[in-house]
Amino acid sequence: MTVYSDRAGATWIRKPDGEVSRSGHNIADWNVGDRRLPWTEFDQLPTEPEKLKARFSKNAEARFEQAMSLLAQSPASPDLRSALFQIVAETPGVTMTPEVKDSRGRPGTEIVLRGTRRVDKPGTKPVSFQYSLRYVIDPDTSRVLEHGNAGANPLVRTTYLEVGWTNHIS
Protein backbone atom coordinates (compact mmCIF):
# COMPACT_ATOMS: atom_id res chain seq x y z
CA MET A 1 0.00 0.00 0.00
CA THR A 2 1.02 3.61 -0.39
CA VAL A 3 0.72 6.06 2.51
CA TYR A 4 0.47 9.83 2.08
CA SER A 5 0.65 12.29 4.95
CA ASP A 6 0.58 16.06 5.16
CA ARG A 7 2.04 18.51 7.70
CA ALA A 8 -1.31 18.88 9.42
CA GLY A 9 -1.40 15.17 10.22
CA ALA A 10 -3.97 14.04 7.68
CA THR A 11 -3.14 10.59 6.30
CA TRP A 12 -4.44 8.76 3.24
CA ILE A 13 -3.84 5.18 2.15
CA ARG A 14 -3.89 3.94 -1.43
CA LYS A 15 -4.54 0.20 -1.55
CA PRO A 16 -3.09 -2.06 -4.26
CA ASP A 17 -6.44 -1.95 -6.12
CA GLY A 18 -6.12 1.87 -6.40
CA GLU A 19 -8.78 2.76 -3.82
CA VAL A 20 -7.80 5.81 -1.74
CA SER A 21 -9.24 6.38 1.73
CA ARG A 22 -8.50 8.75 4.56
CA SER A 23 -7.00 7.05 7.59
CA GLY A 24 -7.93 7.92 11.14
CA HIS A 25 -4.31 7.29 12.11
CA ASN A 26 -1.99 10.31 12.22
CA ILE A 27 1.51 9.43 11.09
CA ALA A 28 2.70 13.03 10.92
CA ASP A 29 4.04 13.04 14.46
CA TRP A 30 6.66 10.88 16.09
CA ASN A 31 7.72 9.75 19.56
CA VAL A 32 10.72 11.66 20.87
CA GLY A 33 11.21 10.64 24.48
CA ASP A 34 7.84 10.91 26.20
CA ARG A 35 6.47 13.46 23.69
CA ARG A 36 4.71 13.14 20.35
CA LEU A 37 6.61 15.59 18.16
CA PRO A 38 4.68 17.09 15.23
CA TRP A 39 6.28 17.69 11.87
CA THR A 40 6.27 21.45 12.53
CA GLU A 41 8.69 21.09 15.47
CA PHE A 42 11.48 19.18 13.72
CA ASP A 43 13.49 22.34 13.15
CA GLN A 44 13.62 22.84 16.93
CA LEU A 45 15.46 19.58 17.61
CA PRO A 46 19.18 19.93 18.32
CA THR A 47 21.55 18.40 15.78
CA GLU A 48 24.39 17.80 18.24
CA PRO A 49 24.16 14.07 19.09
CA GLU A 50 24.51 14.44 22.88
CA LYS A 51 21.90 17.22 23.11
CA LEU A 52 19.56 15.27 20.85
CA LYS A 53 20.11 12.05 22.82
CA ALA A 54 18.96 13.86 25.98
CA ARG A 55 15.52 14.35 24.37
CA PHE A 56 14.99 10.60 24.05
CA SER A 57 14.31 7.87 26.57
CA LYS A 58 17.16 6.77 28.81
CA ASN A 59 16.20 3.20 27.83
CA ALA A 60 18.57 2.28 24.98
CA GLU A 61 16.05 0.04 23.18
CA ALA A 62 13.31 2.69 23.25
CA ARG A 63 15.78 5.37 22.14
CA PHE A 64 16.95 3.13 19.25
CA GLU A 65 13.39 2.44 18.11
CA GLN A 66 12.40 6.10 18.26
CA ALA A 67 15.53 7.26 16.41
CA MET A 68 15.05 4.64 13.71
CA SER A 69 11.38 5.58 13.33
CA LEU A 70 12.43 9.17 12.70
CA LEU A 71 15.02 8.02 10.17
CA ALA A 72 12.53 5.78 8.37
CA GLN A 73 9.41 7.90 8.33
CA SER A 74 10.03 11.54 9.19
CA PRO A 75 11.11 14.60 7.21
CA ALA A 76 14.32 14.93 9.25
CA SER A 77 16.95 17.27 7.81
CA PRO A 78 20.38 15.91 6.79
CA ASP A 79 21.96 17.34 9.99
CA LEU A 80 19.27 15.78 12.18
CA ARG A 81 19.62 12.45 10.33
CA SER A 82 23.38 12.52 10.95
CA ALA A 83 22.86 13.06 14.69
CA LEU A 84 20.24 10.27 14.79
CA PHE A 85 22.61 7.84 13.07
CA GLN A 86 25.32 8.69 15.62
CA ILE A 87 22.88 7.96 18.47
CA VAL A 88 21.94 4.64 16.83
CA ALA A 89 25.59 3.67 16.28
CA GLU A 90 26.38 4.23 19.96
CA THR A 91 23.47 2.10 21.20
CA PRO A 92 24.65 -0.92 23.21
CA GLY A 93 23.94 -4.16 21.36
CA VAL A 94 23.81 -2.60 17.88
CA THR A 95 25.72 -4.30 15.08
CA MET A 96 26.26 -2.92 11.60
CA THR A 97 27.03 -5.04 8.57
CA PRO A 98 27.86 -3.45 5.22
CA GLU A 99 27.09 -4.96 1.83
CA VAL A 100 23.82 -6.75 2.60
CA LYS A 101 20.69 -6.80 0.45
CA ASP A 102 17.11 -6.07 1.36
CA SER A 103 14.24 -8.33 0.26
CA ARG A 104 14.14 -6.57 -3.13
CA GLY A 105 17.86 -7.18 -3.73
CA ARG A 106 18.90 -3.56 -3.14
CA PRO A 107 22.33 -3.11 -1.53
CA GLY A 108 22.55 -1.58 1.91
CA THR A 109 24.06 -1.54 5.37
CA GLU A 110 22.29 -3.65 7.96
CA ILE A 111 21.71 -2.23 11.44
CA VAL A 112 20.51 -4.77 14.01
CA LEU A 113 19.66 -4.42 17.69
CA ARG A 114 19.31 -7.67 19.63
CA GLY A 115 18.27 -8.00 23.22
CA THR A 116 15.99 -9.61 25.76
CA ARG A 117 12.61 -8.33 26.86
CA ARG A 118 10.90 -9.30 30.06
CA VAL A 119 7.13 -9.13 30.37
CA ASP A 120 5.67 -8.94 33.87
CA LYS A 121 1.88 -9.07 34.02
CA PRO A 122 0.07 -9.17 37.34
CA GLY A 123 -1.15 -12.65 38.15
CA THR A 124 1.10 -14.40 35.63
CA LYS A 125 4.61 -15.75 35.63
CA PRO A 126 7.19 -13.32 34.13
CA VAL A 127 8.26 -14.22 30.60
CA SER A 128 11.51 -13.29 28.89
CA PHE A 129 12.12 -13.51 25.16
CA GLN A 130 14.81 -12.62 22.67
CA TYR A 131 14.14 -9.95 20.07
CA SER A 132 15.98 -8.51 17.10
CA LEU A 133 15.20 -5.34 15.18
CA ARG A 134 16.68 -5.08 11.68
CA TYR A 135 17.02 -2.10 9.39
CA VAL A 136 18.66 -1.90 5.98
CA ILE A 137 19.99 1.55 5.07
CA ASP A 138 20.91 2.77 1.58
CA PRO A 139 24.58 3.79 1.97
CA ASP A 140 24.32 6.42 -0.76
CA THR A 141 21.19 8.25 0.45
CA SER A 142 20.99 7.21 4.14
CA ARG A 143 17.34 6.31 3.56
CA VAL A 144 15.81 3.29 5.27
CA LEU A 145 15.12 0.64 2.65
CA GLU A 146 13.53 -1.91 4.96
CA HIS A 147 12.89 -2.79 8.58
CA GLY A 148 11.50 -5.68 10.55
CA ASN A 149 12.69 -8.63 12.58
CA ALA A 150 16.16 -9.99 11.90
CA GLY A 151 16.48 -13.46 10.45
CA ALA A 152 15.85 -15.27 7.20
CA ASN A 153 12.05 -15.24 7.59
CA PRO A 154 10.98 -12.14 9.51
CA LEU A 155 7.54 -12.15 11.11
CA VAL A 156 7.06 -8.50 10.20
CA ARG A 157 8.76 -6.50 7.46
CA THR A 158 8.18 -3.07 5.95
CA THR A 159 9.91 -2.39 2.65
CA TYR A 160 10.12 1.21 1.44
CA LEU A 161 9.99 1.27 -2.33
CA GLU A 162 9.88 5.04 -2.65
CA VAL A 163 9.91 7.94 -0.19
CA GLY A 164 9.52 11.52 -1.26
CA TRP A 165 7.37 14.60 -1.72
CA THR A 166 4.30 14.97 -3.87
CA ASN A 167 1.64 17.59 -4.53
CA HIS A 168 -1.11 15.06 -5.13
CA ILE A 169 -2.19 11.52 -4.38
CA SER A 170 -1.64 9.44 -7.47
Side-chain angles (χ1 to χ4, degrees), residues 77-111:
S77 70
D79 289 340
L80 180 56
R81 293 179 68 77
S82 175
L84 289 165
F85 275 119
Q86 289 178 55
I87 290 169
V88 165
E90 294 170 1
T91 302
V94 165
T95 59
M96 294 189 188
T97 307
E99 300 180 23
V100 300
K101 295 194 184 285
D102 73 357
S103 63
R104 304 282 291 203
R106 298 174 296 179
T109 298
E110 179 183 69
I111 299 173

Side-chain angles (χ1 to χ4, degrees), residues 2-7 12 39 162-170:
T2 303
V3 179
Y4 299 90
S5 184
D6 67 19
R7 286 180 181 259
W12 296 267
W39 190 336
E162 184 177 347
V163 176
W165 307 108
T166 186
N167 291 327
H168 66 285
I169 298 173
S170 54

Side-chain angles (χ1 to χ4, degrees), residues 1-3 13-16:
M1 71 181 154
T2 303
V3 179
I13 297 172
R14 183 172 48 101
K15 296 178 184 173

Side-chain angles (χ1 to χ4, degrees), residues 9 27 35 50 70 76:
I27 64 165
R35 288 192 61 218
E50 286 306 311
L70 291 173

